[in-house]
Amino acid sequence: MMERFSKQVERKTGVNFDEIMALANALSHANFSDEKQVRKIVKKVSRLANKPITQELEDKIVKSILQEGKSLDFTKIEKMMK
């Protein structure tokens, strides 16, 4: 059952399911007040989404995450990436 689900996710996203789970794990244990860790996550999400970002955009996203902390607004970040 889980294998079938993971294959469906891979087909719809184009991303390896294990990478998605690794990212989810990293997000659940991340310290969003640690700039180095936040930058690493932003780069990983960009790579997985196949959406390269400029250093300027990375800086804006990181700054936003550091300011927002636990009340992280993913909608705001998504709008930045468009």
Side-chain angles (χ1 to χ4, degrees):
M1 180 76 167
M2 184 64 168
E3 185 175 331
R4 183 175 167 199
F5 173 74
S6 66
K7 294 295 180 195
Q8 288 176 340
V9 170
E10 288 176 357
R11 274 195 304 273
K12 289 185 180 198
T13 65
V15 179
N16 180 287
F17 188 75
D18 290 336
E19 290 186 63
I20 294 171
M21 294 307 293
L23 176 61
N25 187 47
L27 288 172
S28 68
H29 294 96
N31 175 359
F32 289 106
S33 62
D34 178 352
E35 183 175 343
K36 187 175 179 181
Q37 191 172 32
V38 170
R39 283 191 185 277
K40 185 177 177 181
I41 290 170
V42 168
K43 287 176 184 177
K44 185 169 192 158
V45 170
S46 171
R47 183 181 57 76
L48 286 176
N50 199 24
K51 293 271 190 182
I53 58 174
T54 63
Q55 184 63 49
E56 180 183 3
L57 181 55
E58 179 184 319
D59 292 343
K60 285 181 183 178
I61 293 170
V62 169
K63 181 179 178 184
S64 176
I65 292 171
L66 291 172
Q67 287 176 347
E68 300 292 327
K70 294 209 181 271
S71 61
L72 189 58
D73 185 353
F74 285 104
T75 304
K76 183 177 174 183
I77 293 168
E78 182 181 8
K79 287 179 183 175
M80 283 185 211
M81 294 189 71
K82 288 186 176 180

